[in-house]
Amino acid sequence: MGRWEPNPRGRLTEAAMALYAEQGYDNTTVAEIAERAGLTERTFFRHFTDKREVLFVGAVELKDLFVQAVAAAPPSARAMDAVGAALDAAAVSFQDQRPRVERRQAIIRANPELQERELIKLATLAEAVGAALRRRGVPDLVADLTAQAGMAVFRTGFERWAESSDGTPLADVLHATMADLRIAVS
Amino acid sequence: MGRWEPNPRGRLTEAAMALYAEQGYDNTTVAEIAERAGLTERTFFRHFTDKREVLFVGAVELKDLFVQAVAAAPPSARAMDAVGAALDAAAVSFQDQRPRVERRQAIIRANPELQERELIKLATLAEAVGAALRRRGVPDLVADLTAQAGMAVFRTGFERWAESSDGTPLADVLHATMADLRIAVS
C-alpha cells in the first residue's frame, strides 16, 4: 500500500487493533503497526503519542459527550436523570460499534497495565460527570456519589452488552442495569 | 536515635508521612526517610518495597476486612446489606485514625501518580467485594454493580468524613451516604 492512500489514522488503528488481538499488546511494536498499515513510523507518531493511545483516543470525546449531555438535561431533571441522559447519549454513540468494542475489551482484559489505564479513564469520566452535576447546582457529595454510581451502571452495563450476543440495544441494557441498581439499594 | 530503638516500621512510616507532608512526595528520597527515622536505607527496604508502599501498605488488610465482612453477613442478607456490613467493619477500623487519614489524603491529593494508585486500590477493592458477593450466590452483574456502588458510598463517605471537623463517627457518615445513594437512584 502506498503512502497516498487515504485515512492513515483509520488504517493505523485497524492495523494496531488486529496486531494486539493476534499477538498481544506487549508483543506489538509501532514499527509493526506502521508496516501492517503500509505507512511509516513517522506517520504513526503524527497521529498517536504511543501504541497505548490507539486504544484510548476516544476517551476525550466520550467525556465531552457525557458532560454535554448532563449539561443539556432539563433544569428540572434530578441528578441521576441527568446522568441517565448521558448514558442514553453514550448508548447512541456506541450502538453501531459493538464489534470494535468487543475486540477492544478483549485486548484490555488481557493486559493489567491497560486495565489500570481503563480504570483511570472511567474514574476521570466519573469526575467530569460529578463536576458537570455540580455546575447544575447539585451539592458536592451528591454530585460525586451520583456520578460514581452512574459510572458503575455504565461500566457494568457496557461490559454486559459487549459480552452478550442476543442483540439487545445498549440503551436497553443500561436502563436494565440502572433498574438493577435501584433494586440493589432499595 | 540508635538502631536498637523499637518499632522501626512505625518510625519509618511516621518519618515518611512527615516528609511527604512537609516537602512533597516527589521531593522525598528513601535516604531522607531513613535519616529522619534514625535508621538505614537497608532497614527501610527490609520493610517497604519503595517510598510509595508506605502509603498503600494497608490496602491488603482493608481488602481482607471487606471480603471477610461480606462473607460473614447472614445468609439471608441481601447483597447491599452484606456490603453495608463491610462498610461498618471498615468504619470501626478507621474510626480512631482520622488524623493519619487526613494527612494521607492530603499527600495523595497533591500528587497525580498517587491519585491514580489510590483509584486502582479502590477498584481492586470493588473487584474483591464483587467476587465475595458472587461467592454468596449473587449473580455476576448484580455483584459487580453492588460492589461498585458500595465502593462509591465508601469513597465519597470516607472523603466527607476525612474532611469534616464536626466529629461525626465514620459509621454514621457512611450510613448517611448510603441513604443519599438510595435517594439519588429512587
Side-chain angles (χ1 to χ4, degrees):
Chain A
M1 286 189 280
R3 292 176 60 184
W4 56 86
E5 285 198 33
N7 192 17
R9 192 184 177 86
R11 277 160 55 201
L12 287 163
T13 302
E14 178 52 38
M17 297 294 278
L19 287 166
Y20 297 164
E22 286 166 26
Q23 61 188 38
Y25 171 81
D26 278 335
N27 299 325
T28 300
T29 64
V30 168
E32 289 173 301
I33 297 167
E35 197 195 342
R36 170 79 62 108
L39 294 163
T40 62
E41 284 191 64
R42 211 173 132 183
T43 303
F44 180 92
F45 288 115
R46 263 206 298 273
H47 291 280
F48 301 102
T49 311
D50 53 33
K51 66 174 185 171
R52 195 175 72 185
E53 208 201 338
V54 179
L55 291 161
F56 291 94
V57 80
V60 174
E61 285 89 340
L62 183 58
K63 192 171 79 173
D64 290 346
L65 183 149
F66 266 88
V67 166
Q68 283 163 20
V70 167
S76 63
R78 298 174 60 220
M80 193 55 103
D81 295 332
V83 173
L87 297 186
D88 284 338
V92 170
S93 107
F94 280 111
Q95 183 54 44
D96 296 331
Q97 313 270 329
R98 202 170 157 278
R100 193 184 65 76
V101 165
E102 201 174 356
R103 188 164 62 163
R104 181 179 177 279
Q105 301 276 91
I107 293 163
I108 287 173
R109 248 197 313 274
N111 186 296
E113 182 209 327
L114 295 176
Q115 286 170 28
E116 290 197 350
R117 189 48 42 190
E118 181 77 349
L119 282 175
I120 289 160
K121 186 188 92 175
L122 291 166
T124 307
L125 207 48
E127 268 174 40
V129 169
L133 289 172
R134 281 196 287 277
R135 284 195 292 276
R136 293 176 59 88
V138 177
D140 287 3
L141 172 91
V142 176
D144 288 340
L145 185 61
T146 306
Q148 286 174 34
M151 291 314 298
V153 168
F154 179 65
R155 192 176 148 197
T156 46
F158 192 78
E159 277 171 21
R160 186 191 207 173
W161 171 74
E163 283 162 18
S164 74
S165 50
D166 63 3
T168 310
L170 176 54
D172 294 355
V173 178
L174 290 173
H175 282 247
T177 309
M178 185 68 87
D180 284 338
L181 176 62
R182 202 169 290 126
I183 292 165
V185 300
S186 68
Chain B
M1 289 189 279
R3 291 176 62 184
W4 56 86
E5 285 199 32
N7 192 17
R9 192 184 177 86
R11 278 158 57 200
L12 287 162
T13 302
E14 178 51 39
M17 298 293 278
L19 286 166
Y20 297 163
E22 285 166 27
Q23 62 187 36
Y25 170 80
D26 278 336
N27 299 325
T28 301
T29 64
V30 168
E32 289 174 298
I33 296 167
E35 196 195 343
R36 171 79 63 107
L39 294 162
T40 62
E41 283 191 66
R42 213 174 131 181
T43 303
F44 179 93
F45 288 116
R46 263 206 296 274
H47 291 279
F48 302 103
T49 310
D50 52 35
K51 67 174 183 169
R52 195 175 71 184
E53 209 202 336
V54 178
L55 291 161
F56 291 95
V57 80
V60 173
E61 284 89 342
L62 184 59
K63 193 171 80 174
D64 290 346
L65 182 149
F66 267 86
V67 166
Q68 282 163 21
V70 167
S76 62
R78 298 175 59 220
M80 193 54 103
D81 295 333
V83 173
L87 298 185
D88 284 339
V92 170
S93 106
F94 280 111
Q95 183 53 43
D96 295 330
Q97 313 271 328
R98 203 170 156 276
R100 193 185 64 77
V101 165
E102 201 174 358
R103 188 165 62 163
R104 180 179 178 278
Q105 300 276 88
I107 293 163
I108 286 173
R109 248 197 313 273
N111 186 296
E113 183 209 325
L114 296 176
Q115 284 170 31
E116 290 197 349
R117 188 50 41 191
E118 181 77 348
L119 283 175
I120 289 160
K121 186 188 92 174
L122 291 166
T124 306
L125 207 48
E127 269 173 40
V129 169
L133 289 172
R134 280 195 289 277
R135 285 194 292 275
R136 292 176 60 87
V138 178
D140 286 4
L141 173 91
V142 176
D144 287 340
L145 185 61
T146 307
Q148 285 173 35
M151 291 314 298
V153 168
F154 179 65
R155 191 176 150 197
T156 46
F158 192 79
E159 276 171 23
R160 185 191 207 174
W161 171 74
E163 283 162 19
S164 74
S165 49
D166 62 4
T168 310
L170 176 53
D172 293 356
V173 178
L174 290 173
H175 281 247
T177 309
M178 185 68 87
D180 285 337
L181 176 62
R182 203 169 290 126
I183 293 165
V185 300
S186 68

